[in-house]
Amino acid sequence: MTEFEDISLEEMISDGFDIVTEEINLSDFAETDKNSEQKIFPILPVRNMVMFPNVVIPITAGRKTSIQLLEEAQKNGDFIGIVSQKNSDLEQPSEKDIYTTGTLAKIIKIIKLPEGNITAITKGFHRFKIKKIVDNQPYFKAEISKLKDTQPKDREEYEALLENIKDLALKIIELDPNIPNAANFAIKNINNNDDLLNFICTNANFSSIAKQKLLEEKSLMTRANQCYELMHEDFRKLELRNQIHQKTSKDLDKQQREYFLNQQIRTIQEELGGGPESDVEDLIAKAKTKKWSQEVEDHFQKEIGRLQRQNPNSPDYNVQRNYLDFFTDLPWETYTKDIFDIAKAEKVLDKAHFGLEDIKKRILEHMAVLKLKNNMKSPILLLVGPPGVGKTSLGKSIADALGRKYVRLSLGGLHDESEIRGHRKTYIGAMAGRILQSIKKSGTSNPVIVLDEIDKIGQGLHGDPSSALLEVLDPEQNKSFYDNFLEMGYDLSKVMFIATANSLSTIQTPLLDRTEIIQIAGYTLEEKIEIAKRHLIKKQQEENGLDAKSFKLGNAELKHIIEAHTSESGVRTLEKRIAAIGRWVALQTALIKDYDPKISVEKVDEILGVPRPKSLSEITGVPGVVTGLAWTSVGGDILYIESILSNGKGALTMTGNLGTVMKESATIALEYIKAKHDELGIPQEDIEKKNIHVHVPEGATPKDGPSAGIAMLTSMVSSFKNKKVKPHLAMTGEITLRGKVLPVGGIKEKLLAATRAGIKDVILCEANRKDVEEIKKDYLKNLRVHYVNRMEEVIDIAIEE
């Protein structure tokens, strides 16, 4: 076995090989006449290497025949022919398994190795070609012919090319960690260009086949070009390998850095009492303070075990940690004790809110039942009324009266079901729904939760929130409300839900069926004055830095503000007007030293501007104009219905942005007049030759509904008979084709709107009498109500003689 070991002479000495340590002088082994005299040359096959002329290289031999060849050649002073094997795996190569071109070499020194092998230090002299093998026992012997190198024609180009090869070789040595630094020194100290080329070809990291082709090339210029190309390919591979190595090293460095930082964090956390272990300990300690069922306890133990099995550096660990934090923060079976002092509760409600007798009565009933039974599912109350009447603030008063925690939850514009039911905890940024978040915020499982603006819930792409509320607001189902984040049922049956809405028309029927609807109408003039005196003025005194002496408003001034500067069911606009006066007073107090705090009615108009006209007589003082009563989502209101005749063919025209129902009412009214013209005292000729135009002012505002039927018919009769409608009179009701008057809704809001507008007489259907009787007499003390069954009665009451 013969093989090449890429080791230097200095390395072999340092490894402790058995060699003679005297200095080797290569000049002693220069080519002699022995080379020309020698006819037969021993042939030494080597593998994994190709030897070039004028290069010193060590060859390690392990096969007996190779050792014998080297020892005899050294003893006789013979040159040996070194050729490369075609297949490096063969242990005993035949004549066909070796190349015919090789290098004649001289043995400089033989070094005995500890394992019985020897290493021969050899120097190459000439390229040769085997002519024929003359003997193969015990080793190959052959006749050879020497090969001469062809010198380059352009010596300057050749030298320049060798300079490039030298520079590239130095770069490769710098990049390749496997090449010893001695090679750098050797290349810099070789002065002969041919020797430099042979040295690089021998020691370069080319394949044996590529090196053999270089050896067989007789032109030095061609050999140099091929060597340069191979070196470039080797250089590119080394660059790529170094880039990959550097990138990998950076990644490893980053991982090591993160590891050490995490270790430091863990150490610091342990010193401060933190870290994953303390997380689990804190959660278990919190759980011990909780009152919950065995089912909840089992679920907690399962989840805390999952947290302990997770790697603290994984994203799932934080998800599980946040989940258990929320789980242990919930109050579960923690309840506040209800206060059953009904007399005290009544005082609390009366102090905070003036009026609202129905809702106060309902709350006191609930407290009485709760006191007697001591175990009752809390009701789901739905307060419906115009803005500014105190629906939202009433929830706070109820919580104070019951001694419960208070949480307000605004649902206006909500359009995602997950806001109610929560998200699954596997999602990024998952959290529980607003219901359970409110429970957690209150710290008790029986708070008063006000679901504000439940009629303004939207419907988006991610489910219907109002459908999700069906389970929340059902006393039979909310005992085990399922939240997607919590992943188990939570008892909401002890929570007192109070929902508020301006209108019932946009709320789902199943949702309405689960609630107890309490209608809250607007306030009367007297109630608004009391609210202003008890609450609004005091609030503005505090907000504007005033006291009771510097800011005074009497009953007359408040009445004037309400009648001349507001037109609403609630008290929000009234509060704004009082705030405007309060700011004016603050300015005067700051500017004038001895400011007179008395504010007259004239001063109110000076501060707030021109008041609204009070009288309706100018508007309704012509034939064909009738005052109607309407219900809106912000309370009751009045509207005017006008009609006028023109020459034509009996056509009906309607304007004022009317809906389908109002257009039908106008058509029915005209058909009734055509059928009953004799009884109504209207000539047939007028009906056939007059066009009638019905208009409801404020055309930009959409108007629809069945409550304007009798007003439209009265307006048409007034126009046909050219008689005015009585002043300060309003009406509401629907008609049939045969003249029967039908009842309508929103009576309380409409009547309050009539009193605000200065109406003295109102016409209603007989069937609405029960609605009027439910209203407190004080609200209607200046209003006379006329009940009718048929349209003839309406005309008799409304049309002036």
Side-chain angles (χ1 to χ4, degrees):
M1 173 182 174
T2 305
E3 61 181 338
F4 166 64
E5 295 284 350
D6 187 12
I7 58 175
S8 66
L9 192 61
E10 291 82 4
E11 288 174 320
M12 291 188 292
I13 294 171
S14 65
D15 287 342
F17 293 129
D18 183 16
I19 63 169
V20 179
T21 58
E22 67 266 29
E23 184 179 355
I24 300 174
N25 190 352
L26 296 181
S27 61
D28 296 340
F29 298 91
E31 185 178 8
T32 61
D33 292 338
K34 177 69 178 173
N35 183 0
S36 57
E37 295 174 359
Q38 191 175 346
K39 303 297 182 184
I40 304 298
F41 292 85
I43 302 299
L44 177 64
V46 294
R47 58 181 180 179
N48 298 326
M49 70 159 285
V50 177
M51 189 173 190
F52 284 77
N54 296 321
V55 177
V56 176
I57 200 165
I59 299 173
T60 299
R63 191 172 51 204
K64 290 182 180 180
T65 53
S66 299
I67 294 173
Q68 182 182 350
L69 183 153
L70 291 170
E71 289 177 343
E72 290 181 357
Q74 184 193 30
K75 183 179 179 182
N76 300 326
D78 290 340
F79 282 82
I80 61 174
I82 298 176
V83 295
S84 182
Q85 290 181 201
K86 295 178 180 179
N87 186 353
S88 60
D89 294 332
L90 292 177
E91 292 293 335
Q92 299 294 333
S94 64
E95 183 179 344
K96 296 178 181 180
D97 297 324
I98 60 175
Y99 290 104
T100 57
T101 301
T103 301
L104 283 178
K106 190 80 172 179
I107 300 172
I108 299 172
K109 192 72 178 177
I110 289 180
I111 303 168
K112 294 181 179 179
L113 302 178
E115 296 178 355
N117 299 339
I118 66 169
T119 294
I121 310 299
T122 60
K123 180 187 177 184
F125 284 95
H126 285 295
R127 295 187 307 116
F128 71 90
K129 189 174 182 67
I130 296 176
K131 293 169 67 176
K132 67 175 182 178
I133 299 293
V134 297
D135 191 8
N136 58 6
Q137 293 297 331
Y139 43 79
F140 291 118
K141 296 174 184 172
E143 292 182 6
I144 65 167
S145 60
K146 293 182 182 180
L147 300 176
K148 292 185 177 180
D149 294 332
T150 303
Q151 294 298 321
K153 295 179 181 179
D154 190 341
R155 198 70 192 177
E156 290 184 2
E157 181 183 355
Y158 177 67
E159 289 175 355
L161 179 59
L162 262 295
E163 282 297 323
N164 288 341
I165 290 175
K166 184 176 181 180
D167 292 341
L168 191 56
L170 294 175
K171 291 180 181 178
I172 290 174
I173 292 169
E174 185 178 348
L175 284 177
D176 194 345
N178 296 321
I179 300 177
N181 293 329
N184 193 333
F185 177 79
I187 288 175
K188 289 181 179 179
N189 286 278
I190 297 175
N191 298 321
N192 186 286
N193 286 332
D194 297 349
D195 291 349
L196 177 64
L197 178 60
N198 289 333
F199 180 82
I200 290 174
C201 288
T202 301
N203 292 288
N205 193 26
F206 306 152
S207 66
S208 296
I209 297 173
K211 288 183 178 181
Q212 184 64 33
K213 288 182 179 179
L214 291 174
L215 180 66
E216 293 174 357
E217 179 57 54
K218 63 180 180 179
S219 170
L220 288 175
M221 191 68 183
T222 305
R223 187 187 303 168
N225 277 317
Q226 291 176 355
C227 177
Y228 193 49
E229 289 177 4
L230 291 169
M231 289 175 70
H232 260 295
E233 183 179 349
D234 189 31
F235 181 69
R236 285 195 298 271
K237 290 179 180 177
L238 277 171
E239 278 190 323
L240 182 60
R241 188 174 69 185
N242 279 352
Q243 288 174 4
I244 295 171
H245 176 71
Q246 289 175 1
K247 184 179 179 181
T248 308
S249 297
K250 286 180 181 178
D251 291 341
L252 287 173
D253 291 344
K254 183 181 178 183
Q255 291 177 4
Q256 290 172 348
R257 183 172 175 272
E258 288 178 353
Y259 172 77
F260 287 122
L261 287 175
N262 284 325
Q263 287 295 112
Q264 290 176 349
I265 290 171
R266 188 174 288 111
T267 304
I268 293 169
Q269 286 176 337
E270 288 175 357
E271 290 291 330
L272 297 175
E277 295 80 5
S278 66
D279 285 348
V280 175
E281 292 172 1
D282 291 345
L283 290 169
I284 293 175
K286 283 172 66 177
K288 288 180 179 178
T289 64
K290 294 292 176 182
K291 293 192 298 182
W292 53 31
S293 64
Q294 187 60 43
E295 179 187 359
V296 179
E297 174 67 22
D298 294 341
H299 184 81
F300 172 76
Q301 293 299 335
K302 178 182 175 183
E303 295 297 327
I304 200 74
R306 183 177 298 173
L307 179 69
Q308 289 173 314
R309 292 191 298 270
Q310 287 177 342
N311 183 356
N313 296 321
S314 70
D316 291 339
Y317 181 85
N318 287 328
V319 172
Q320 187 71 5
R321 176 75 168 81
N322 292 337
Y323 169 73
L324 286 171
D325 267 339
F326 180 80
F327 192 93
T328 52
D329 284 342
L330 283 173
W332 293 100
E333 296 182 12
T334 301
Y335 304 101
T336 54
K337 189 175 181 180
D338 289 330
I339 300 173
F340 295 132
D341 190 341
I342 297 177
K344 182 180 178 182
E346 187 174 11
K347 289 180 182 178
V348 170
L349 293 172
D350 287 338
K351 182 180 179 182
H353 293 268
F354 187 82
L356 306 179
E357 303 302 330
D358 290 342
I359 181 65
K360 292 178 183 177
K361 178 183 174 184
R362 180 65 188 85
I363 297 302
L364 296 176
E365 288 173 354
H366 170 68
M367 293 180 64
V369 175
L370 200 61
K371 180 178 181 180
L372 295 175
K373 192 177 179 184
N374 203 23
N375 182 19
M376 175 186 172
K377 291 180 179 177
S378 292
I380 313 295
L381 302 180
L382 175 56
L383 310 182
V384 183
V389 295
K391 299 185 300 296
T392 304
S393 60
L394 194 60
K396 181 73 170 66
S397 301
I398 293 170
D400 292 340
L402 289 169
R404 293 191 179 189
K405 299 290 185 180
Y406 167 76
V407 181
R408 176 181 167 272
L409 187 59
S410 178
L411 300 179
L414 201 72
H415 57 82
D416 191 344
E417 180 194 359
S418 299
E419 293 285 342
I420 304 296
R421 287 194 175 277
H423 309 79
R424 293 185 63 189
K425 66 180 180 181
T426 52
Y427 292 118
I428 295 173
M431 61 178 66
R434 292 196 182 188
I435 301 296
L436 285 192
Q437 287 185 32
S438 300
I439 297 286
K440 173 191 167 187
K441 180 181 177 182
S442 69
T444 173
S445 289
N446 64 337
V448 173
I449 297 182
V450 174
L451 303 175
D452 215 6
E453 310 290 359
I454 198 172
D455 57 328
K456 296 176 180 61
I457 291 179
Q459 186 169 351
L461 300 174
H462 305 288
D464 183 5
S466 59
S467 297
L469 282 174
L470 293 177
E471 183 184 2
V472 177
L473 300 182
D474 191 341
E476 300 299 326
Q477 297 180 24
N478 63 12
K479 187 173 178 63
S480 57
F481 170 67
Y482 186 86
D483 188 283
N484 293 325
F485 184 78
L486 189 64
E487 294 183 341
M488 67 180 305
Y490 193 90
D491 185 7
L492 298 180
S493 62
K494 304 293 191 301
V495 178
M496 186 171 189
F497 289 102
I498 300 176
T500 71
N502 297 129
S503 171
L504 299 177
S505 59
T506 57
I507 305 176
Q508 289 187 18
T509 304
L511 197 57
L512 289 176
D513 189 52
R514 286 163 163 78
T515 61
E516 184 176 337
I517 301 172
I518 298 177
Q519 295 280 353
I520 302 179
Y523 296 111
T524 62
L525 175 65
E526 292 77 12
E527 287 178 333
K528 288 182 180 179
I529 292 173
E530 285 297 320
I531 291 170
K533 290 166 64 177
R534 295 187 185 190
H535 304 287
L536 303 182
I537 293 176
K538 291 180 181 179
K539 181 179 179 182
Q540 293 308 317
Q541 286 173 350
E542 292 177 3
E543 290 190 357
N544 293 292
L546 303 171
D547 54 31
K549 293 181 180 180
S550 60
F551 184 24
K552 296 178 180 179
L553 284 173
N555 287 1
E557 289 76 25
L558 288 172
K559 181 180 179 181
H560 179 70
I561 293 171
I562 294 167
E563 290 180 340
H565 294 280
T566 67
S567 177
E568 59 173 349
S569 298
V571 292
R572 282 213 179 103
T573 306
L574 175 59
E575 183 178 4
K576 292 176 185 176
R577 300 293 179 262
I578 294 174
I581 296 173
R583 291 192 296 272
W584 183 87
V585 171
L587 178 62
Q588 301 307 313
T589 304
L591 292 175
I592 304 171
K593 186 175 182 181
D594 297 325
Y595 168 70
D596 183 8
K598 184 173 177 57
I599 299 174
S600 63
V601 172
E602 292 77 14
K603 185 65 70 176
V604 169
D605 289 340
E606 182 183 330
I607 298 169
L608 299 180
V610 180
R612 292 187 305 113
K614 295 183 181 179
S615 176
L616 297 171
S617 58
E618 294 181 6
I619 301 174
T620 59
V622 294
V625 180
V626 176
T627 305
L629 297 176
W631 180 91
T632 68
S633 61
V634 295
D637 200 1
I638 63 170
L639 55 83
Y640 303 107
I641 297 173
E642 305 173 335
S643 62
I644 193 168
L645 300 178
S646 61
N647 293 327
K649 297 181 180 180
L652 172 64
T653 306
M654 291 170 282
T655 55
N657 200 358
L658 305 182
T660 305
V661 177
M662 289 191 74
K663 289 179 179 178
E664 289 177 353
S665 296
T667 305
I668 291 170
L670 182 58
E671 292 300 321
Y672 177 79
I673 291 172
K674 289 179 180 179
K676 302 286 185 178
H677 66 91
D678 289 334
E679 298 175 17
L680 297 172
I682 301 172
Q684 176 75 25
E685 185 179 356
D686 287 352
I687 297 175
E688 292 177 351
K689 294 184 179 181
K690 298 286 185 180
N691 291 339
I692 187 161
H693 186 133
V694 178
H695 176 66
V696 182
E698 297 185 24
T701 305
K703 294 171 279 290
D704 199 11
S707 61
I710 65 172
M712 284 185 168
L713 198 151
T714 303
S715 175
M716 290 180 187
V717 171
S718 174
S719 294
F720 277 119
K721 298 180 75 170
N722 197 26
K723 291 183 178 181
K724 295 186 290 183
V725 175
K726 292 178 181 177
H728 307 293
L729 180 139
M731 60 188 72
T732 181
E734 181 61 305
I735 58 168
T736 67
L737 199 56
R738 298 184 180 274
K740 182 175 175 58
V741 179
L742 300 178
V744 291
I747 295 299
K748 184 175 182 179
E749 288 82 359
K750 292 176 179 178
L751 294 184
L752 291 176
T755 58
R756 289 197 301 271
I759 301 293
K760 296 179 180 179
D761 294 276
V762 174
I763 299 175
L764 296 177
C765 174
E766 179 67 36
N768 284 126
R769 185 186 292 270
K770 61 179 178 59
D771 299 314
V772 177
E773 290 176 352
E774 291 177 358
I775 305 172
K776 290 180 72 172
K777 301 298 181 185
D778 293 344
Y779 293 0
L780 310 176
K781 60 185 178 182
N782 296 322
L783 198 65
R784 185 164 59 247
V785 181
H786 304 272
Y787 299 102
V788 298
N789 285 310
R790 295 199 55 80
M791 198 60 226
E792 294 89 340
E793 301 174 53
V794 176
I795 294 170
D796 290 341
I797 297 171
I799 303 294
E800 286 186 344
E801 293 298 330

